[in-house]
Amino acid sequence: MPQEYDARVNLHLNVNNGLEQVAELVHTRLVESGWKDQVQLACRKAIVESGDKVPTVDELIATITPKARALVPDAVKRELYHEIELILLNLEKIGYAKSFEDV
Amino acid sequence: MAVRGCEHFQLFKESSSNMKTLRWLHAVFVVGSNFRYRQNKVINSFCHTCKNRGPYVHACLDCVYFGCHTHIREHNKEEIHNFSLELTYGQLHCTSCGDYVYDSALDKISSKNRMKCGTFKKRLFECISWSPSEEEKEMLSHRSKKMCITPESTIGLRGLINLGATCFMNSIVQALMHTPLLRDYFISKQHSCGAPSGSCLTCEISKLFQEFYNGNRIPLALNSLLHLIWTHATHLSGFKQQDAHEFLIATLNLLHQHCSATMAQPSHGHMNGKCSCIVHQIFTGSLQSDVVCQNCHGVSTTIDPSWDFSLDLGPETEGGRSPCSLVDCLERFTKAEYLGSNAKIMCETCESKQESTKQFKIKTLPIVISFHLKRFEHFKKAETKISTAISFPEMLDMSPFMSKRKKDTFFPSDYRYSLFAVINHTGNSLNQGHYTAFVRQQHNFWYECNDEVITRANLDEVLNSEGYILFYHKQILEYE
């Protein structure tokens, strides 16, 4: 296992699907806020501008990622931050009930 | 993604053990079908080189190697292992092609695994689940009639009986009934008001939408709508033929008034100067007019809301060229116009009256644009009709006509519009003749609505028709 991941964090990721939950949350928020559509448009523009040579997915990722990151709404970042904080706080408590949602 | 399929994957597919590996990897690491798999996924999906959980962890299909975006590419190159599977969305990368590849076999595997998946994951299905409320469940249990929408189904098409030169109204109503956003708004019953029946136009239109989309096929008579219009817009009353465009403007105005009067106050405010009623949300854009003083070249800008674009068709100057396409008309509309030496305008910088030019630019575009081609001309009290053929496209890109922003942002706005309704006028003058409408239904089917007769039409017929009012709908809706 990667060293950075504390055993307890792993337990959380493991038992409660914490990682999945957070990932789903972020995914939903990004769709709702219109971020996804904006990035789609940006990709479209990048492809059109590149002319005859169609860029590969990796090239697209390289050009779009920095701009797309900057575009993530602050509200989404805040919510994600809060969510992670909640998870970590709950980890500190007790031997970790099976479901942390009702803690 | 390669345009044609990947030949390397075709070879790869031939071995059943290869496919078994792929299926297993997909089930465990992409979907995580059951608890044990998910456990496995959490423990194992990290980059074997840098020990990070991302970005974009891939699994090599030839050996037990997991790697993040950079390391998997290095690994595949060094070991000459051709394929890797992306673990978030389950895309397959082929090193020989240098890109992600698509294959129907992979699609089949992923849809099968997703179906077996114990927990619901949005990113894998890309749709939002709907859990009906108690009230909705109740309503569903009462409604047992099922309707299947096929390309052949005629739901949403209703003939309208001509009540004596009311084809101007019928054709506009047909166009409104097929405005996608307006339809969604009214069918989902967003409007409710306590006004007594027969006094609110919005309620009347709401009723009409219900009638249009309930699957019935008997032609409707719009007597109550006509009555409402007569009482509220007196200039349109009487049994004479009226101008369809005037009727459209009057209807939209009334809809706005009745929306504002009956909607709950808090939800109906003015958001940055834009009214929040459905009509304004859909049909209002804004025009920027720049008046440039010819003496000091100072610009004074005013911004006005606009409902529609009325486009001139006559020759620009005596004996000049007449516009022959919608784009021509729009270019002319947004061209700088010399106001002449008789119409001097007070310039604030020069502090005197100066000759100037005026130019319209489009500041914001509405979701639905209606172009009104000015086919009727009042010339020495006599009315003439300009029957010049004006070609108009199915897809229209409005970006050239927008006012330029200071900086071109990286994330562009999209100004593509598609045609969804055309109103035509046959006959020689405003007060006679006949109106018909072409409407688009189910994305790509066209129908001609001639009062109570509705016939299927094709796109060419629509694009070759004369055109009096053209309705375009925005393709990509933005968030506010």
Side-chain angles (χ1 to χ4, degrees):
Chain A
M1 279 312 295
Q3 299 305 303
E4 304 94 290
Y5 293 100
D6 186 82
R8 280 178 305 171
V9 177
N10 269 317
L11 185 74
H12 172 73
L13 296 179
N14 209 340
V15 177
N16 288 324
N17 283 320
L19 185 67
E20 293 268 304
Q21 275 178 19
V22 174
E24 286 291 282
L25 177 87
V26 173
H27 185 264
T28 317
R29 288 292 178 272
L30 289 180
V31 173
E32 283 171 356
S33 63
W35 178 87
K36 195 183 148 195
D37 290 349
Q38 277 177 301
V39 173
Q40 230 166 20
L41 275 177
C43 291
R44 182 177 172 274
K45 195 183 170 198
I47 294 172
V48 169
E49 278 174 2
S50 71
D52 292 337
K53 203 203 152 293
V54 180
T56 66
V57 177
D58 285 349
E59 285 160 11
L60 265 186
I61 288 176
T63 40
I64 303 290
T65 304
K67 285 140 188 162
R69 280 233 172 99
L71 209 75
V72 176
D74 281 342
V76 176
K77 285 184 193 162
R78 262 200 304 280
E79 194 185 356
L80 177 64
Y81 176 74
H82 181 73
E83 205 66 24
I84 295 175
E85 201 175 48
L86 207 73
I87 289 173
L88 294 177
L89 277 178
N90 276 306
L91 279 177
E92 291 305 309
K93 282 184 197 167
I94 44 165
Y96 208 16
K98 274 190 186 102
S99 126
F100 79 79
E101 277 146 333
D102 37 27
V103 173
Chain B
M1 208 171 274
V3 181
R4 262 170 277 152
C6 163
E7 55 206 83
H8 317 102
F9 190 69
Q10 299 302 328
L11 283 174
F12 179 86
K13 265 204 304 197
E14 280 165 18
S15 143
S16 66
S17 75
N18 276 345
M19 286 313 271
K20 211 174 141 193
T21 319
L22 179 59
R23 208 167 299 137
W24 184 80
L25 270 174
H26 193 279
V28 176
F29 291 103
V30 178
V31 178
S33 317
N34 62 37
F35 182 70
R36 206 165 50 83
Y37 283 176
R38 275 200 294 281
Q39 229 171 356
N40 239 318
K41 179 180 175 173
V42 170
I43 296 171
N44 291 313
S45 53
F46 59 90
C47 174
H48 283 192
T49 309
C50 66
K51 310 281 181 228
N52 280 329
R53 280 184 182 274
Y56 316 112
V57 179
H58 289 61
C60 177
L61 290 195
D62 292 293
C63 69
V64 192
Y65 179 85
F66 290 81
C68 66
H69 196 214
T70 30
H71 292 124
I72 190 75
R73 299 280 186 271
E74 284 170 14
H75 167 85
N76 282 3
K77 249 192 199 133
E78 279 161 24
E79 307 281 328
I80 323 177
H81 290 166
N82 205 12
F83 292 105
S84 57
L85 186 70
E86 197 271 338
L87 295 185
T88 321
Y89 294 92
Q91 300 292 338
L92 194 73
H93 188 272
C94 169
T95 315
S96 310
C97 297
D99 207 351
Y100 290 86
V101 293
Y102 168 82
D103 196 273
S104 56
L106 188 68
D107 246 22
K108 243 178 241 160
I109 292 175
S110 76
S111 74
K112 213 167 156 191
N113 282 340
R114 280 185 312 206
M115 286 307 165
K116 278 198 229 151
C117 169
T119 52
F120 178 80
K121 293 196 189 79
K122 236 179 237 170
R123 71 177 156 85
L124 293 175
F125 284 89
E126 288 290 48
C127 62
I128 293 152
S129 69
W130 171 57
S131 43
S133 67
E134 284 305 315
E135 194 192 351
E136 284 163 335
K137 278 182 196 157
E138 172 84 17
M139 266 158 44
L140 282 172
S141 65
H142 286 305
R143 276 266 160 222
S144 49
K145 193 175 151 198
K146 282 180 188 152
M147 282 188 285
C148 183
I149 311 271
T150 61
E152 281 75 40
S153 58
T154 54
I155 185 166
L157 295 168
R158 287 292 288 265
L160 296 171
I161 293 167
N162 195 330
L163 302 167
T166 59
C167 53
F168 69 94
M169 173 174 77
N170 290 353
S171 55
I172 290 290
V173 166
Q174 290 286 5
L176 290 179
M177 289 295 139
H178 291 89
T179 306
L181 268 189
L182 212 55
R183 178 197 62 202
D184 293 352
Y185 175 85
F186 279 109
I187 286 192
S188 56
K189 272 220 140 190
Q190 304 268 346
H191 172 80
S192 60
C193 75
S197 69
S199 67
C200 172
L201 183 69
T202 322
C203 287
E204 187 60 38
I205 295 282
S206 182
K207 248 187 261 164
L208 260 182
F209 269 103
Q210 304 290 341
E211 280 292 333
F212 259 74
Y213 290 92
N214 68 5
N216 246 326
R217 300 171 70 167
I218 313 153
L220 286 170
L222 302 178
N223 46 0
S224 49
L225 178 71
L226 189 66
H227 180 250
L228 264 172
I229 296 287
W230 280 6
T231 44
H232 290 284
T234 37
H235 63 287
L236 291 176
S237 61
F239 287 99
K240 259 175 40 188
Q241 173 75 291
Q242 302 285 346
D243 181 14
H245 179 248
E246 248 173 69
F247 177 80
L248 173 68
I249 295 299
T251 310
L252 293 182
N253 255 322
L254 277 176
L255 272 175
H256 156 67
Q257 279 170 23
H258 291 179
C259 254
S260 327
T262 52
M263 263 166 74
Q265 284 308 314
S267 66
H268 181 79
H270 285 261
M271 299 182 309
N272 18 333
K274 203 176 171 185
C275 169
S276 68
C277 80
I278 183 67
V279 180
H280 277 88
Q281 288 296 314
I282 297 180
F283 291 95
T284 322
S286 57
L287 274 181
Q288 173 181 335
S289 66
D290 292 339
V291 175
V292 182
C293 168
Q294 291 303 293
N295 188 31
C296 66
H297 296 282
V299 185
S300 79
T301 302
T302 44
I303 291 165
D304 294 307
S306 73
W307 287 78
D308 66 340
F309 295 95
S310 287
L311 304 170
D312 287 311
L313 298 184
E316 224 157 295
T317 46
E318 281 303 318
R321 193 174 72 99
S322 293
C324 60
S325 72
L326 183 60
V327 174
D328 280 354
C329 293
L330 281 168
E331 267 164 11
R332 175 170 170 191
F333 185 76
T334 52
K335 224 171 81 176
E337 180 194 1
Y338 177 59
L339 291 176
S341 47
N342 297 330
K344 286 184 180 172
I345 284 179
M346 188 71 188
C347 172
E348 283 180 16
T349 352
C350 309
E351 291 184 335
S352 60
K353 284 197 171 177
Q354 293 294 340
E355 290 179 14
S356 43
T357 60
K358 185 179 176 185
Q359 182 170 23
F360 278 122
K361 280 174 188 160
I362 299 163
K363 181 115 172 99
T364 48
L365 276 171
I367 295 166
V368 170
I369 316 181
S370 55
F371 294 109
H372 165 225
L373 305 178
K374 287 192 194 159
R375 290 202 178 276
F376 300 111
E377 203 174 36
H378 299 268
F379 186 67
K380 288 177 187 161
K381 281 190 181 174
E383 268 176 21
T384 46
K385 187 183 172 186
I386 308 169
S387 307
T388 336
I390 299 288
S391 67
F392 47 92
E394 189 199 2
M395 292 293 167
L396 180 67
D397 190 352
M398 289 293 283
S399 2
F401 309 108
M402 303 301 291
S403 63
K404 289 274 178 295
R405 298 262 168 78
K406 281 196 181 84
K407 53 171 192 240
D408 192 23
T409 49
F410 182 78
F411 291 94
S413 301
D414 196 89
Y415 297 116
R416 283 173 298 164
Y417 282 77
S418 64
L419 188 70
F420 74 92
V422 177
I423 311 263
N424 278 306
H425 177 264
T426 47
N428 298 325
S429 84
L430 188 59
N431 294 324
Q432 3 163 326
H434 187 56
Y435 285 103
T436 55
F438 283 109
V439 292
R440 189 182 67 183
Q441 171 80 347
Q442 293 193 35
H443 296 302
N444 46 6
F445 292 109
W446 285 90
Y447 293 90
E448 182 176 20
C449 307
N450 181 356
D451 290 335
E452 72 277 5
V453 185
I454 293 184
T455 42
R456 192 168 256 195
N458 59 36
L459 185 62
D460 288 338
E461 285 174 58
V462 177
L463 294 183
N464 289 327
S465 67
E466 191 179 63
Y468 176 50
I469 308 176
L470 313 171
F471 291 87
Y472 282 86
H473 202 285
K474 197 164 173 30
Q475 281 216 296
I476 296 180
L477 300 181
E478 275 145 9
Y479 294 79
E480 284 181 347

